[in-house]
Amino acid sequence: MPLRTAIETITASIDNEFVALCMSHYSGYVREAAIGRAVELGCSSFLVSITERVNDWVPEVRRAATNALLTLLATVPAENFVSLIPRLRGLMSATRTDHRSWLFEFEQRLVEAGGAAAIVVATNGTDFRLRRAAFLVAVDHQLLSVTEMVKLGLSSGDIVLAQRAVTLLDRVPVSGRAIYIALAAASPFGPVRFAAFKFVVNGHVDFDTEPFLWRTIFDSQGSLRSAAAQLLVESGRDVVGRCSAMLDAGGLNVRQVRAGLSLLAERRAPDAAAVLARYAGDARAEIRAHALMLQARVSPSLKDEIASRALLDPSRKVRKVGARLCTLGAFVSLDRIAAMLIQRGDRHAALTVCARDQWDSLACIALITELEMPNESGCEDVRDALRKWIDNRVSYWTKPSGQHRQILSQPGAGSRLLDLAGDGRTELRARLREGGIELEPLPVRADRSADSPRPWASQ
C-alpha cells in the first residue's frame, strides 16, 4: 500500500485495534499518523501503545508520543495513566535521549489532574513493579508527608521501598527520628538495617547510641554485628563478656542466640569452644546446626568428629551441616554413612558426602538400594547419581577398596544396581568387572530389613 494511502486510511479509521497496530509499523510516518489519530479518538486503550513510542528511534515520533500523552491527560481519567508509571519510569535509563525533564512534567500534570490518590493507592498494591514506581513518584512529588513515606516504605516488606525510605531519615525531624530508626533497625533486609546503623553512628540522632549498639551486636548480618562490636570495644566496653552473660541468661531468641555465638567465634573469645560445645546439644535444631558449624571453624582439627556427629542428628537441618563440612574437607567413613542411612534414612546427605570419591558414591548407592529400592515414582536422585557414575570416566583410573568390594558384592546388591541402571546395565557390569567385582544375582528371598546384620556397617 502506498504511504499516502496508508496515512489516509489511518486518519479516517475508527478501528482502535487497527490504529494501535499501526503504532508499531516500520514506517515512522505511519507511526506518527497513528499516534495523531489515537489522540483524536481519545480512547484510554491507546495509552500503552503510545507510551511504547515515547522512546522511539525517530525524534518526530517521540515528540508526537509525549505530546499525545499530555493531550490525552486532559480528557482521559487520570487513574488510567497510573498503570503506565513503571514503563515511564523506565525511561530514566533510556540512552536515546534524556526524558527526565519531560517525565517530571508529565508526572506533575498527572498529579494535578487528580491522579495523586490513585498513585498513593498503588504504593500499597500487589503489583510490585507498579508499587515501586508509584512510591518513587510519591516521594519525588511529595504526595505524602516525609514521615508517612518513611513509615510506608519501611513497613512495606519490599526491599526497594525500604531502601528508598531509609534515605529519607535525615528529612524527618530530629525529635521524631527514634521511632523510624527503630523500624529500620528491625527491617528484615540487611542493607536497610546497615543504613540505619550508619545513620545512627554518624550522629544524626538526639539519643544515647550505646543501647542501640548493644542491640546491634545480636544482628544476623555479620558485617553489621562486627561493626557495632568494634565501636563498643573502642569505647572500652567488654563485648565478649556481656555477650556471654546474655547467652547464659537465656532470654535471647533463636536468631539472637545464633548471632551471639557467631560474635564469640569472630572475637575469638577464650570460652568460645566451651559455649559452642554446650549449644551443640541444644534442643533447637537451628541452634545445634549453627553451633556445630562454628565449632568446626573454631576447632578445625575436630571437624571430622563434628561432621560425624552431625550426620547422625535427628534433624535434617543439622545433617546438612555434616554434609557441608564433608564437602569442605571433613572425612566421615562409609561405616558412618551406612549407620546414618539405617538410623535416619537420609539418602540426600549420604549422596552428598560420598560424592567425594567415585567408588564411595557407587557403594553409597548400593547401600541406599538395600534399604529402599528405587521405583518408577521415587528416588530419582539415586538413579541420577548412578547415571552420573556410569558416565564419569574417572573410575576407569581408580580401583575400589576392599570395603567397596565387600559392599558391592553383598547378595542382591548387583541385581539392584542393574535394575537401577536401566539402559546402562552393560556398561555398569563391564566397569565393575574391571574393578574386580562380579555382580551377584538377587537371591530368591532377600532379607532387606533395617535390623538384618550387615558386615559393612558398624552400628
Side-chain angles (χ1 to χ4, degrees):
M1 181 185 297
L3 179 59
R4 177 176 295 179
T5 304
I7 293 176
E8 290 175 352
T9 301
I10 293 169
T11 55
S13 177
I14 58 173
D15 185 341
N16 290 354
E17 292 186 8
F18 171 71
V19 173
L21 183 63
C22 288
M23 288 188 213
S24 59
H25 193 271
Y26 69 87
S27 170
Y29 294 106
V30 172
R31 296 197 302 276
E32 185 178 8
I35 293 172
R37 182 55 178 162
V39 173
E40 293 173 354
L41 293 173
C43 181
S44 63
S45 63
F46 293 121
L47 294 179
V48 173
S49 298
I50 295 173
T51 301
E52 290 175 348
R53 303 271 64 87
V54 172
N55 196 43
D56 195 276
W57 57 92
V58 177
E60 289 77 11
V61 177
R62 291 200 298 270
R63 189 159 46 248
T66 54
N67 290 337
L69 288 176
L70 290 170
T71 301
L72 288 172
L73 194 55
T75 56
V76 175
E79 56 267 20
N80 289 313
F81 290 83
V82 173
S83 62
L84 303 176
I85 290 176
R87 192 184 301 269
L88 291 171
R89 276 273 159 169
L91 295 171
M92 290 284 200
S93 58
T95 57
R96 189 165 285 136
T97 188
D98 188 348
H99 296 280
R100 286 174 294 182
S101 177
W102 173 85
L103 180 59
F104 191 85
E105 178 191 353
F106 176 79
E107 290 173 347
Q108 188 62 42
R109 295 269 291 272
L110 176 59
V111 169
E112 294 169 354
I119 294 171
V120 172
V121 170
T123 61
N124 288 294
T126 56
D127 183 336
F128 78 93
R129 291 183 180 84
L130 177 56
R131 181 174 64 241
R132 292 173 176 179
F135 184 84
L136 295 177
V137 172
V139 170
D140 290 346
H141 296 273
Q142 301 178 13
L143 302 187
L144 296 171
S145 68
V146 173
T147 54
E148 288 175 318
M149 295 303 303
V150 171
K151 183 178 180 180
L152 173 62
L154 294 176
S155 306
S156 65
D158 186 314
I159 187 171
V160 174
L161 270 61
Q163 286 182 301
R164 182 68 179 92
V166 80
T167 64
L168 302 176
L169 285 174
D170 60 346
R171 291 165 54 181
V172 175
V174 176
S175 60
R177 287 177 181 173
I179 185 173
Y180 302 106
I181 290 172
L183 195 59
S187 172
F189 309 115
V192 175
R193 298 197 303 276
F194 209 114
F197 168 79
K198 290 193 293 185
F199 187 81
V200 170
V201 299
N202 286 335
H204 298 300
V205 295
D206 62 348
F207 56 81
D208 181 12
T209 61
E210 186 168 328
F212 176 87
L213 294 177
W214 282 119
R215 289 192 298 271
T216 306
I217 68 169
F218 291 99
D219 194 275
S220 57
Q221 183 172 313
S223 57
L224 178 53
R225 181 175 60 239
S226 297
Q230 185 60 35
L231 287 175
L232 288 167
V233 169
E234 291 172 358
S235 299
R237 303 297 186 266
D238 182 7
V239 173
V240 168
R242 181 159 178 174
C243 179
S244 297
M246 293 183 72
L247 285 169
D248 291 340
L252 304 177
N253 59 33
V254 170
R255 180 184 60 79
Q256 291 171 324
V257 169
R258 285 163 52 95
L261 294 176
S262 293
L263 184 64
L264 292 182
E266 292 160 2
R267 305 297 302 184
R268 301 182 182 275
D271 62 340
V275 174
L276 290 173
R278 185 171 77 250
Y279 276 97
D282 196 271
R284 294 161 289 187
E286 299 93 334
I287 292 178
R288 288 202 308 278
H290 193 64
L292 287 167
M293 182 61 80
L294 290 174
Q295 269 191 309
R297 294 178 188 172
V298 171
S299 306
S301 62
L302 301 178
K303 64 179 182 296
D304 294 354
E305 177 189 336
I306 294 168
S308 183
R309 185 167 74 251
L311 287 172
L312 291 182
D313 195 274
S315 169
R316 185 158 185 256
K317 185 184 293 291
V318 181
R319 293 196 297 274
K320 283 183 176 180
V321 169
R324 173 64 176 161
L325 290 175
C326 288
T327 64
L328 295 175
F331 178 79
V332 175
S333 68
L334 275 175
D335 288 344
R336 198 65 163 181
I337 299 301
M340 180 189 68
L341 286 169
I342 293 170
Q343 295 180 30
R344 306 303 179 194
D346 193 341
R347 65 178 188 269
H348 303 287
L351 289 170
T352 299
V353 174
C354 291
R356 65 197 175 192
D357 175 85
Q358 279 289 291
W359 291 100
D360 278 356
S361 179
L362 187 62
C364 178
I365 294 169
L367 298 178
I368 292 171
T369 60
E370 181 174 356
L371 296 171
E372 180 183 2
M373 182 57 194
N375 51 45
E376 294 299 326
S377 60
C379 296
E380 192 59 34
D381 53 341
V382 184
R383 295 178 188 277
D384 288 342
L386 182 56
R387 291 191 197 104
K388 290 178 181 177
W389 189 89
I390 294 172
D391 293 338
N392 193 326
R393 303 299 177 180
V394 172
S395 58
Y396 274 127
W397 325 124
T398 60
K399 295 297 181 182
S401 68
Q403 188 178 26
H404 294 143
R405 289 191 176 91
Q406 185 181 23
I407 294 172
L408 296 170
S409 299
Q410 287 295 307
S415 294
R416 291 191 295 271
L417 287 174
L418 291 172
D419 287 345
L420 195 64
D423 295 340
R425 291 186 186 93
T426 301
E427 187 171 358
L428 174 62
R429 187 182 290 277
R431 298 274 292 280
L432 290 175
R433 187 177 294 118
E434 289 177 3
I437 301 171
E438 289 289 343
L439 296 183
E440 295 293 334
L442 182 66
V444 175
R445 184 176 183 81
D447 181 4
R448 288 158 56 192
S449 69
D451 298 327
S452 60
R454 294 174 175 78
W456 41 260
S458 60
Q459 303 176 37

